[in-house]
């Protein structure tokens, strides 16, 4: 693990503090003949072995600090990052103003270049895909597969792409291609979600609506850990490949996959037809691949540190906690009392109440 630790020596090494290392003696150099005895406070020290200097370990990428094994601490601490940590004092008003400007520009460009049937190419793209089959299930599945191949493919090429064009340009390219495909897939699902063959009908059963609503609400806490770094998503800050370890990551190492499975099961149960099944099969398949691909990319980037994190986390929710590999801190609940999780709650409730508006907007498109 030593290769994944960074030294922070802003303060004097603890070897100078006898109350922490009373077993270490100060080694004095021989006094020059006839010269005055050196002051004890300024007596020089012989060079120290490197392991003794590793008295503080910091998580890879700037996570929480803790005593490292080399320092004789009680445990290895975090090897990943402290997720959803948000400190108001670290925020820049200029960066968030820049983010708002970029967001407005992206939405305008998306509407003009892709969504608007008069100026965009989105309608022609969908017509080309729909020409393959008259089946809404097939078109739904094809749209999901196209998005999955592009999204996961570009994620796999991220390291090489960033070396060629840089982190920010690659992030812009990645979002510029993925976002239009995602919008088309979502709008097509909204417009055709009640087409196809009805397989079951449970909407009239008491408690089903509440079950679907609660499941969907919970799914968003798993689905969007990207909200931890909105400035990186918009390439305002330099994008990074993060290895999170706290918060939702203690429950499952792949929260987006788990959240997508929960969302798909809830909506497929509610809608109950073949189009919903086709959409769910495509989305779940994509996220299962993404879980495997994400582990592969993190292993390539972080090496031994990821192997440590992998051993004490699980893909299946709560599995590592149940079998004792994940030790929850006593104040674990505090890892959720942070602004990003509050934002997820607000946005999820907002999306639910905005369903009629989302549907009305989708119906206006010939998709």
């Amino acid at each position: 693990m030593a290769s994944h630790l960074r030294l922070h020596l802003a303060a004097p090494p603890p070897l100078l503090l006898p109350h922490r290392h009373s077993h270490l003696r100060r080694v004095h150099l021989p006094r020059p003949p006839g010269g005055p005895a050196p002051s004890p406070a300024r007596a020089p020290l012989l060079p120290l072995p490197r392991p003794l200097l590793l008295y503080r370990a910091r998580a890879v990428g700037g996570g929480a600090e803790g005593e490292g094994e080399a320092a004789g601490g009680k445990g290895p601490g975090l090897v990943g990052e402290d997720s959803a940590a948000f400190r108001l004092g670290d925020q820049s008003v200029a960066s968030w103003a820049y983010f708002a400007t970029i967001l407005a520009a992206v939405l305008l460009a998306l509407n003009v270049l892709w969504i608007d049937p008069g100026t965009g190419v989105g309608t022609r793209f969908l017509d080309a895909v729909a020409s393959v089959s008259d089946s809404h299930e097939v078109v739904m599945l094809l749209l999901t597969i196209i998005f999955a191949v592009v999204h996961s493919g570009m994620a796999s090429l991220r390291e090489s792409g960033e070396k060629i064009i840089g982190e920010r340009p690659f992030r812009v390219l990645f979002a510029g291609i993925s976002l239009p495909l995602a919008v088309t897939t979502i709008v097509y699902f909204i417009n055709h979600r009640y087409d196809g063959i009805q397989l079951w009908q449970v909407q009239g059963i008491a408690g089903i609506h509440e079950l679907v609503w609660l499941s969907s609400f919970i799914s968003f806490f798993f689905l969007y850990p990207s909200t931890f770094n909105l400035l990186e998503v918009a390439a305002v800050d330099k994008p990074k490949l993060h290895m999170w370890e706290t918060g939702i990551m203690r429950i499952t190492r792949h929260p987006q996959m788990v959240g997508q499975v929960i969302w798909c099961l809830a909506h497929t149960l509610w809608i109950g037809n073949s189009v919903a099944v086709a959409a769910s099969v495509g989305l779940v398949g994509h996220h299962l691949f993404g879980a495997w691909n994400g582990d592969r990319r993190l292993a390539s980037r972080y090496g031994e540190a990821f192997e440590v994190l992998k051993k004490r986390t699980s893909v299946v929710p709560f599995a590592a906690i149940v079998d004792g590999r994940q030790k929850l801190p006593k104040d674990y609940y505090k890892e959720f009392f942070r602004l990003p999780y509050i934002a997820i709650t607000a946005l999820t409730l907002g999306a639910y109440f905005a369903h009629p508006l989302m549907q009305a907007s989708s119906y206006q498109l010939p998709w």
Side-chain angles (χ1 to χ4, degrees), residues 214-233:
L214 182 61
S215 298
S216 300
F217 182 81
I218 292 173
S219 74
F220 277 78
F221 283 92
F222 289 88
L223 267 170
Y224 291 108
S226 59
T227 55
F228 299 160
N229 291 275
L230 283 178
L231 295 182
E232 289 184 26
V233 172

Side-chain angles (χ1 to χ4, degrees), residues 175-198:
I177 297 176
S178 298
L179 184 58
L181 296 177
V183 169
T184 301
T185 305
I186 292 171
V187 171
Y188 188 87
F189 173 75
I190 293 175
N191 288 348
H192 298 280
R193 68 191 186 282
Y194 287 115
D195 297 338
I197 302 170
Q198 195 68 35

Side-chain angles (χ1 to χ4, degrees), residues 113-114 120-132 139 142-147 150 177 180-185 188 367:
L113 300 177
W114 189 264
V121 298
T123 300
R124 279 173 281 179
F125 164 75
L126 182 57
D127 289 343
V129 176
S131 66
V132 175
V139 176
L142 284 175
L143 288 173
T144 307
I145 292 173
I146 291 171
F147 170 77
V150 171
I177 297 176
L181 296 177
V183 169
T184 301
T185 305
Y188 188 87
W367 293 1

Side-chain angles (χ1 to χ4, degrees), residues 201-209 270:
Q201 180 60 261
V202 298
Q203 293 185 7
I205 299 177
I208 293 296
H209 178 269
W270 180 253

Side-chain angles (χ1 to χ4, degrees), residues 4-14 20 50 52-68:
H4 300 282
L5 301 176
R6 296 188 297 173
L7 297 182
H8 295 263
L9 301 177
R20 291 189 60 181
R50 177 177 173 82
L52 295 178
L53 293 176
L54 297 177
Y55 71 99
R56 293 182 74 190
R58 188 165 187 172
V60 175
E65 294 180 355
E67 292 294 327

